[in-house]
Amino acid sequence: QVQLVESGGGLVQAGGSLRLSCAASGTIFSMNVMGWYRQAPGKQRELVASITSGGSTNYVDSVKGRFTISGDNPKNTVDLQMNSLKPEDTAVYYCNARHIREYWGKGTLVAVSS
């Protein structure tokens, strides 16, 4: 059974940085796409960034220039480096992976204080 385990969330002041990491276990297959979604209170879950097995990346406009996604496809890991954090980045961040099926992590809280 595929499991995604996230780490790296926490509380940070505006302007600070955090790095989220996610590792997929329980499969011998490399994921086609891995990424990070977030859900703020009262809002819908949104895609933050994703990376394909070929290395192509995609970002939501609000994080471009501040966040960087990177991945190790053979190891099924994905990281999200978040710089210049803003209070509006506060949310629960979920790791996502796709290979035939879609998988989700349990989420890690990122809280940015003003």
Side-chain angles (χ1 to χ4, degrees), residues 80-97:
L80 185 67
Q81 178 66 41
M82 304 184 293
N83 299 327
S84 302
L85 282 160
K86 303 176 181 180
E88 50 264 43
D89 294 318
T90 294
V92 177
Y93 284 69
Y94 297 90
C95 182
N96 173 274

Side-chain angles (χ1 to χ4, degrees), residues 17-36:
S17 298
L18 283 174
R19 187 176 183 88
L20 304 182
S21 296
C22 173
S25 62
T27 179
I28 62 171
F29 300 105
S30 295
M31 296 296 168
N32 298 123
V33 184
M34 295 189 76
W36 292 91

